[in-house]
Amino acid sequence: MELHLPPKPQPVVGPGEFQFAAVGLEHGHIYGMTNGLLEAGATLTAVWDEDPEKVAAYRRTFPQARAAASLDELLADPDIQLIASAAIPSERCPLGLRVMAAGKDYFVDKAPMTSLPQLEAARRAVAETGRKYMVYYSERLHSEAATLADYLIKQNTIGRVLHVEGFGPHRLGGPRPAWFYEKARYGGILCDIGSHQLEQFLYFAGVENADITFARKANYAHPATPEFEDFGECTATAANGVSGYFRVDWFTPDGLRNWGDGRTFITGTDGYIELRKFIDLAAGEKRENMVYWANRQGEFSTNATGKVGCPFFGRLIRDCIDRTETAMTQAHAFRAAELCLKAQQMADQIITPR
């Protein structure tokens, strides 16, 4: 099957035309967020975090970022147009409110907030300030496999989408900071890593409205940290009838070559797509961004790496400059967050084994 793909994304601005700073370096996603913006042409000017060691580590990777003396210094800088952050989840929304009040756009790691009151505060602030509160749902936005799947669906390769399944296993790995195990600070497993899955469900289903029909979480194997949730699952039904299921967990085995075998399955009326985003299990070579699909024409596969890029970042930059919504609508960013919070709320009401 011949693929008809658009050209790979190119920088959308010149040096200095769009400047941003990084604030809050608690999660490694800040490096992916920074790289995505830089590849799209943005200029990184500064970084700030309360922990000078985190700042030093960030500047070893991005030496062009000056170390700011305070957050206030960056908020007052008229040349900085966007603040990117991967702060502690419970602190992401309060930071975003300050950023937008200072007249800057905000680009935050998932989960973008940890409670429904925070979500409502963010919605009010966006309406009042006219600024953006964009979210780094990286398992779709920063995945060439997911980008290629989007093109395949839009080309009617598998017909009308009927069902979306997502699997997001993670490795717990080495020592984690204390907040990682505190429910009020990380928000729960469905709010946190479940956000990737529910955002993809909404996007691939092609709707903005859905209902959570079942949600469950558990702590199966970590009794020393009772507030930590190591397993979660959820089902949802979109307003157009598309159904979805996802499972997230912290049980990636040590023998796997990477942090998790993240997969997405999209079933349509005329075929289906499977994404093996981060590893192709037991393959003799290291492969990621693998896309497999079957339809009325046959069976197909391709490695999407280097073929489609990640257009989200350039679109985000242009949206901030032009005040458009081509990368992601604000309604979509907030609706995905709302579904995650409601799924977590439902799961918290179900007694699960430990």
Side-chain angles (χ1 to χ4, degrees), residues 239-259:
N240 61 357
V242 176
S243 62
Y245 169 82
F246 75 82
R247 185 205 75 224
V248 288
D249 64 65
W250 290 96
F251 290 115
T252 291
D254 291 342
L256 197 74
R257 287 169 290 165
N258 76 342
W259 57 267

Side-chain angles (χ1 to χ4, degrees), residues 94-351:
L95 172 61
L97 300 182
R98 291 187 63 186
V99 168
M100 292 186 292
K104 304 182 188 303
D105 292 313
Y106 187 49
F107 181 36
V108 64
D109 189 19
K110 65 78 210 160
M113 61 272 300
T114 54
S115 72
L116 289 168
Q118 283 189 343
L119 173 61
E120 292 311 308
R123 280 176 165 150
R124 287 195 301 271
V126 166
E128 292 168 0
T129 65
R131 310 316 300 179
K132 295 183 182 296
Y133 192 118
M134 286 290 101
V135 185
Y136 183 60
Y137 294 113
S138 60
E139 289 191 23
R140 181 178 68 84
L141 302 176
H142 217 165
S143 164
E144 287 191 277
T147 301
L148 178 56
D150 184 24
Y151 292 144
L152 291 174
I153 291 168
K154 288 176 178 175
Q155 291 173 16
N156 202 37
T157 302
I158 61 168
R160 178 167 58 90
V161 172
L162 302 175
H163 181 76
V164 180
E165 289 182 79
F167 300 91
H170 285 60
R171 176 179 284 125
L172 195 54
R176 297 275 186 164
W179 64 261
F180 183 82
Y181 300 100
E182 299 171 10
K183 183 73 170 286
R185 303 181 80 189
Y186 79 90
I189 192 169
L190 300 181
C191 170
D192 181 21
I193 56 178
S195 60
H196 289 299
Q197 307 302 328
L198 277 169
E199 190 277 332
Q200 289 178 96
F201 166 68
L202 277 182
Y203 185 83
F204 289 129
V207 295
E208 296 298 349
N209 294 311
D211 293 315
I212 303 299
T213 52
F214 168 79
R216 188 171 74 98
K217 48 82 175 178
N219 181 334
Y220 283 123
H222 299 85
T225 51
E227 292 187 24
F228 180 62
E229 297 165 0
D230 55 26
F231 181 92
E233 59 182 338
C234 175
T235 61
T237 301
N240 61 357
V242 176
S243 62
Y245 169 82
F246 75 82
R247 185 205 75 224
V248 288
D249 64 65
W250 290 96
F251 290 115
T252 291
D254 291 342
L256 197 74
R257 287 169 290 165
N258 76 342
W259 57 267
D261 187 3
R263 300 197 191 191
T264 303
F265 295 82
I266 306 165
T267 302
T269 54
D270 300 323
Y272 68 93
I273 299 170
E274 177 189 350
L275 310 181
R276 301 182 189 180
K277 297 179 182 176
F278 310 115
I279 187 171
D280 198 5
L281 185 64
E285 59 183 298
K286 181 181 179 182
R287 298 192 303 191
E288 54 187 28
N289 285 308
M290 293 301 299
V291 181
Y292 298 85
W293 71 98
N295 59 14
R296 299 180 188 277
Q297 283 71 50
E299 304 170 9
F300 308 92
S301 69
T302 188
N303 186 330
T305 301
K307 288 186 170 66
V308 292
C310 298
F312 168 81
F313 298 94
R315 293 170 183 170
L316 173 61
I317 291 169
R318 292 310 319 178
D319 284 346
C320 292
I321 294 172
D322 304 329
R323 310 319 295 173
T324 50
E325 287 192 313
T326 63
M328 177 188 298
T329 68
Q330 189 64 71
H332 176 85
F334 282 158
R335 184 58 174 152
E338 181 180 2
L339 286 180
C340 298
L341 294 168
K342 289 184 174 179
Q344 186 68 51
Q345 189 177 67
M346 181 182 291
D348 289 344
Q349 296 168 357
I350 298 176
I351 299 175

